[in-house]
Amino acid sequence: MNYAFARDQYRKSKNAALSSLSDPHEMIGLTLKELSRSLNALQNDNVTEEQRNLHLSKGFTAVYILQTSLDFEKGFEIASNLFKIYEFVREQLQKTLKRDVTTNLAVCSGILDEIIDAWRNIK
């Protein structure tokens, strides 16, 4: 996992909370939570255009961090499955960006909630 790179990417997306993290497990947990927050915000009908753009940006950044943090050498099957899930989320964010009515962020949120619960139980 390239922790320093992931941390720098999140700093660029104006998330100061990550700058003080030193534990990679905690960083991934926070990234998962931030992605969940963005997905939930994007499902809100009252979100402004500015908020929508911010949450899309944060969502894409979080997915990128999560995908690039996977260690395929140590856990190929798990890493491969997580990559596919994160790719599905990325595709749904892409549909949201294009205002595609077939977007299903609710499914993404449900899957992500399960990953967050599992991540909490790992440590």
Side-chain angles (χ1 to χ4, degrees), residues 31-32 34-40 42-43 55-67 81-97 102-116:
T31 303
L32 288 165
E34 287 298 316
L35 178 55
S36 178
R37 282 188 202 114
S38 289
L39 291 175
N40 289 331
L42 288 166
Q43 293 175 70
H55 286 292
L56 280 167
S57 178
K58 284 185 174 188
F60 282 119
T61 302
V63 168
Y64 178 76
I65 289 169
L66 293 168
Q67 286 182 320
N81 289 336
L82 284 171
F83 187 89
K84 290 174 187 174
I85 291 169
Y86 299 148
E87 187 64 15
F88 175 74
V89 172
R90 188 196 63 76
E91 290 168 358
Q92 296 307 302
L93 286 169
Q94 189 72 32
K95 284 182 173 185
T96 301
L97 177 67
T102 66
T103 300
N104 199 338
L105 294 178
V107 168
C108 295
S109 292
I111 294 168
L112 200 58
D113 287 345
E114 290 181 29
I115 293 171
I116 291 169

